[in-house]
Amino acid sequence: MLKREVVERVAGAGKSAGRLWYERAAERWFEALPVGNGSVGGMVFSGVEAERVRLSASTAWSGAPGDSDVSTTALKYLPQIRRLLLSGEYAEAQALAGEHLLGRPSAFGTNVALPELVVEHGLDGEVDGYERSLELDDAIVRSAFSKGGVSVQREVFASNVAGVLVVKVTSSAPVDHRVGFSDDAIPAEVTVDGDRLVLRGQAYEELHSNGKVGATVEIHARVITDGVVEEDEDGLRVTGATTVTVVVAVGTDWLGADPAQAAALLEVPEYDVLKREHVEDHAELIGRVSFDLRGDTNAKPTDERRRLLAEGNDDSDLIALYFQYGRYLTIAGSRANSPLPLALQGLWNDGRASGGPWTNDYHLDINTQQNYWAAEITNLGECHPPLFGLIDRLRASGSKTAAEMYGAPGWVSHTVSNAWSYSAPGWGLGWGLHVTSGIWISLQLWEHFEYHRDLDFLATRAYPVLKDAAQFFLAYLTEDPETGYLLSGPSDSPENWYLTPDGERASLSLGNTTDRVLIDALFRICGEASELLNVDEDFRAETAKAREKLPPFQIGKHGQLQEWLHDFDEAEPNHRHTSHLIALYPERQITPRTTPELAQAAEVIIDRRQGADGWEQTEWVEANLIAFYARLQKGDLALQHVRSLIADASEANLLSYSVAGIAGVNENVYAFDGNSGGTGAMAELLVQSTGTEIELLPALPSSWPTGSVTGLRARGGYTVDLAWADGKLTAAEITAAERSTPQQVRLGDELVDLDLQPGETARITIA
């Protein structure tokens, strides 16, 4: 029996978030260590001849807003395409859609890689005692070595407080240095002004844009030293220095900003103050959550530990480190004052997405959502707002798309977006017509509300966006004359294809399950929100009536959850996308407890996909599977994918990647979603919440018999601390925030009521 008592919250010191460390310098991007302040990022290589930092900035985008992205013939041919789909003429509908519905962007663009900052050291001799590390607790990359009898220590961090990236080099004897920018990542010129360098360039490229439009970029660097600074070609020469500090700021003209304002950011306080303010700011966020699996302390370097995990060795402490690393990257990449949210590569850019068949953009058919899976449940709600800004801009551009393409009110978006709020369809069949993407991304607004219960946020930010989306779908849905169901479409089930009864490949359909899940969620949420706000009673009734006419879930001939309205076979049985399983996560329309047959049908989908020849395993898929198995309450299966994510889909620096050979890329490409998605999904193994119920240890893996976690968040406005031993809960402390709602706490089949005042803590134990 569960026992509940109100107690004083025990505020114990949490375990360190952890440390990545290495015995040699980084030679590859996937060995460098990331720092970021929410708008400017750096990949730190820590070589012995030079400190190299590959720079990036969230607003360094090629491309421009488009005025003619929507096909001018889409609205005319939309009814005909729907009639063809209703009558089963799939190939004809597909061909017509390819001609008339796809987007026509002229300058979509991409986030571009920026040059490297290079601080060269004039030292000769043998290298001894090399080590580099990233401390997650203070977000500082450190490196140290001696060369020719001179010891060198370096620190690199990116301060959100000051808005700059900082490199400090300290040596035991005077050393000469050269400071400059490397390569020609973007068209640019460098000028020298005293102790400052200024790189002025354009984010132009011709693969995803026309080579003529993009943000103006300025990178300003200031050298502070006890040595002598002189101009040296396109850089600065520093002689006789025991301390060199380089302060870097990046500005662009995105949305009318003045890139030259970056110069003012270089007027920073003395280094000790700058560093202290950075550490305090970062520590307040990273320190909210501790995670301890009582693993043996492993003294090996991080790359060696990852290799051993891939060979089958246990390392629960590395898993806990990876969990915290996802939180670290979320903090470094997305802060409340960030101009743009985390893109496909987060805040960092290896040049492979922007220089390949993808763009480093916002994929709205799962990846951008996964970028924020760690935000709410791991107590980083302040990192979420940049995404809400993108959604606001999508709502504005999407209203134009809704009117021009569909003749409908409200707003709509499709599969991809960019810094310029692109909302038209993508330019390819099979992936470009994900018409419910706006709902999917807007669920993040509702999730933020559920965790914080801020009615002002609901009224001013979330509900207007969701209501406008619902108005679009009320007008957009088509009634099936045979069944009376309201069907979405023509649209994709991202990014899968099916076989028609004639054996042909097709992607477009009416009433696919992914759309059904998202539209059902939208109408439900709008009803709940309007009731909470006591507004729009008639609109609430209209959405409720339409919700009743959505098609039901169906189980197909293989025992699988059907992906389409009809029981089609997949054209690509090994496809990585299982979009319709969003009914399981992040939605809860399917659960083992409430809909066991559908939960089993969802698991059949997972088993069939993984069992197919050539299963497309990659980083975001592994994070997805962790979340699915967590919701299916199968912790041991989830843990298999935790291990695969770290060992098979993350690199030496623990950054996740999309594997070569999938989706048209010929080399591994960094992708942020595995790190953040994996962290958010792992948290679901320990705590799950619905807004009315908080479940403790719902999917605890058997190989985590003893451990603790503090600071996780639950819907309804609660913070949860847990400890367990021998696979069983020993104690939980649940604390109510300023705004909270009554809950039930579940452990297995047992429930206990929870109704706390703000700041009160209840201890849950087994009586």
Side-chain angles (χ1 to χ4, degrees), residues 483-695:
T483 63
Y485 295 147
L486 290 178
L487 306 179
S488 63
S491 60
D492 292 325
S493 178
E495 298 176 15
N496 210 357
W497 293 69
Y498 61 90
L499 295 176
T500 72
D502 296 331
E504 298 186 69
R505 287 167 47 93
S507 61
L508 288 188
S509 67
L510 295 177
N512 71 62
T513 303
T514 301
D515 285 357
R516 178 251 183 256
V517 172
L518 290 168
I519 295 168
D520 181 88
L522 176 66
F523 289 168
R524 182 195 78 238
I525 289 167
C526 282
E528 291 182 28
S530 67
E531 194 164 3
L532 284 168
L533 298 172
N534 195 27
V535 296
D536 297 334
E537 185 175 350
D538 292 343
F539 174 69
R540 187 189 321 155
E542 187 179 6
T543 55
K545 183 179 178 180
R547 187 182 175 204
E548 291 175 356
K549 297 181 70 175
L550 295 174
F553 291 114
Q554 299 178 85
I555 297 176
K557 57 181 174 288
H558 303 294
Q560 88 284 10
L561 181 70
Q562 281 186 203
E563 187 163 358
W564 294 278
L565 186 65
H566 304 293
D567 194 6
F568 298 131
D569 279 327
E570 298 100 333
E572 300 172 8
N574 62 349
H575 203 278
R576 62 199 176 277
H577 279 268
T578 52
S579 302
H580 55 314
L581 296 191
I582 57 174
L584 185 65
Y585 182 93
E587 276 289 289
R588 286 183 169 274
Q589 297 176 30
I590 295 175
T591 75
R593 191 171 286 117
T594 61
T595 58
E597 291 184 358
L598 291 173
Q600 176 59 35
E603 193 164 0
V604 169
I605 287 288
I606 299 170
D607 291 343
R608 282 175 59 83
R609 293 291 174 88
Q610 292 186 89
D613 289 341
W615 160 242
E616 296 179 328
Q617 179 265 0
T618 192
E619 89 298 338
W620 67 264
V621 174
E622 294 293 0
N624 222 10
L625 290 170
I626 299 165
F628 290 159
Y629 281 125
R631 288 287 174 87
L632 290 167
Q633 300 186 332
K634 297 193 172 185
D636 287 344
L637 288 175
L639 184 58
Q640 290 180 19
H641 293 282
V642 172
R643 293 174 65 95
S644 293
L645 174 60
I646 301 171
D648 303 326
S650 298
E651 261 278 11
N653 56 10
L654 300 187
L655 291 181
S656 60
Y657 63 86
S658 187
V659 68
I662 291 180
V665 298
N666 57 13
E667 57 185 339
N668 294 348
V669 177
Y670 166 57
F672 183 88
D673 45 27
N675 291 114
S676 53
T679 293
M682 272 192 268
E684 291 271 334
L685 299 173
L686 306 173
V687 175
Q688 294 178 22
S689 59
T690 67
T692 59
E693 184 177 292
I694 301 170
E695 186 166 7

Side-chain angles (χ1 to χ4, degrees), residues 122 150 214 352 374 407 458 461 496 533 541 593 659 713:
V150 178
R352 293 179 177 178
L458 180 63
R461 296 297 302 274
N496 210 357
L533 298 172
R593 191 171 286 117
V659 68
R713 294 280 291 167

Side-chain angles (χ1 to χ4, degrees), residues 159-240:
S159 167
N160 179 264
V161 177
V164 296
L165 185 145
V166 183
V167 177
K168 183 180 181 182
V169 183
T170 304
S171 55
S172 61
V175 175
D176 296 341
H177 304 267
R178 186 186 182 278
V179 180
F181 299 109
S182 73
D183 74 35
D184 54 354
I186 60 173
E189 294 183 354
V190 177
T191 59
V192 179
D193 182 10
D195 60 0
R196 303 185 183 212
L197 295 174
V198 181
L199 181 148
R200 294 182 175 90
Q202 301 290 334
Y204 291 168
E205 52 81 39
E206 297 182 350
L207 185 60
H208 307 292
S209 184
N210 58 18
K212 301 176 182 178
V213 290
T216 298
V217 180
E218 292 193 12
I219 305 176
H220 294 248
R222 176 189 176 195
V223 175
I224 303 169
T225 179
D226 61 355
V228 177
V229 181
E230 298 175 293
E231 183 175 349
D232 178 26
E233 296 181 3
D234 290 333
L236 293 172
R237 184 172 63 253
V238 183
T239 56

Side-chain angles (χ1 to χ4, degrees), residues 76-90:
K76 176 182 177 181
Y77 284 91
L78 186 65
Q80 183 178 348
I81 294 169
R82 283 175 173 156
R83 287 194 297 269
L84 289 169
L85 290 170
L86 283 171
S87 63
E89 298 175 76
Y90 303 107

Side-chain angles (χ1 to χ4, degrees), residues 293-328:
L293 291 174
R294 306 291 195 272
D296 294 334
T297 301
N298 192 319
K300 292 182 173 65
T302 304
D303 50 349
E304 178 70 3
R305 293 174 67 183
R306 193 203 65 84
R307 185 186 64 79
L308 291 170
L309 185 74
E311 293 177 357
N313 290 271
D314 289 329
D315 193 341
S316 58
D317 198 48
L318 180 63
I319 290 172
L321 175 66
Y322 194 89
F323 172 89
Q324 291 285 26
Y325 193 44
R327 298 184 67 245
Y328 165 83

Side-chain angles (χ1 to χ4, degrees), residues 240-380:
T242 59
T243 301
V244 174
T245 301
V246 184
V247 182
V248 180
V250 181
T252 77
D253 65 350
W254 179 72
L255 294 190
D258 180 2
Q261 289 182 345
L265 297 175
L266 301 184
E267 303 301 328
V268 294
E270 62 181 25
Y271 182 80
D272 288 346
V273 175
L274 185 65
K275 177 181 172 181
R276 185 185 73 245
E277 291 177 345
H278 157 71
V279 170
E280 290 173 350
D281 171 66
H282 173 79
E284 199 282 320
L285 293 170
I286 197 73
R288 292 176 182 175
V289 172
S290 67
F291 185 30
D292 187 358
L293 291 174
R294 306 291 195 272
D296 294 334
T297 301
N298 192 319
K300 292 182 173 65
T302 304
D303 50 349
E304 178 70 3
R305 293 174 67 183
R306 193 203 65 84
R307 185 186 64 79
L308 291 170
L309 185 74
E311 293 177 357
N313 290 271
D314 289 329
D315 193 341
S316 58
D317 198 48
L318 180 63
I319 290 172
L321 175 66
Y322 194 89
F323 172 89
Q324 291 285 26
Y325 193 44
R327 298 184 67 245
Y328 165 83
L329 293 168
T330 301
I331 296 166
S334 184
R335 298 294 294 273
N337 57 357
S338 297
L340 280 167
L342 295 156
L344 182 69
Q345 299 197 303
L347 182 58
W348 302 273
N349 193 325
D350 64 6
R352 293 179 177 178
S354 55
W358 309 344
T359 71
N360 186 3
D361 62 356
Y362 303 104
H363 284 44
L364 303 182
D365 59 352
I366 192 172
N367 310 94
T368 304
Q369 291 86 340
Q370 279 188 319
N371 285 354
Y372 286 89
W373 278 7
E376 298 299 340
I377 194 170
T378 73
N379 216 334
L380 297 175

Side-chain angles (χ1 to χ4, degrees), residues 3-42:
K3 178 182 178 182
R4 182 203 74 115
E5 57 180 330
V6 177
V7 298
E8 287 283 332
R9 185 169 187 266
V10 178
K15 182 184 178 183
S16 167
R19 175 176 182 258
L20 287 73
W21 78 278
Y22 305 84
E23 292 180 318
R24 59 184 180 84
E27 296 179 359
R28 303 179 297 120
W29 195 92
F30 272 125
E31 294 173 335
L33 293 171
V35 296
N37 63 15
S39 60
V40 175

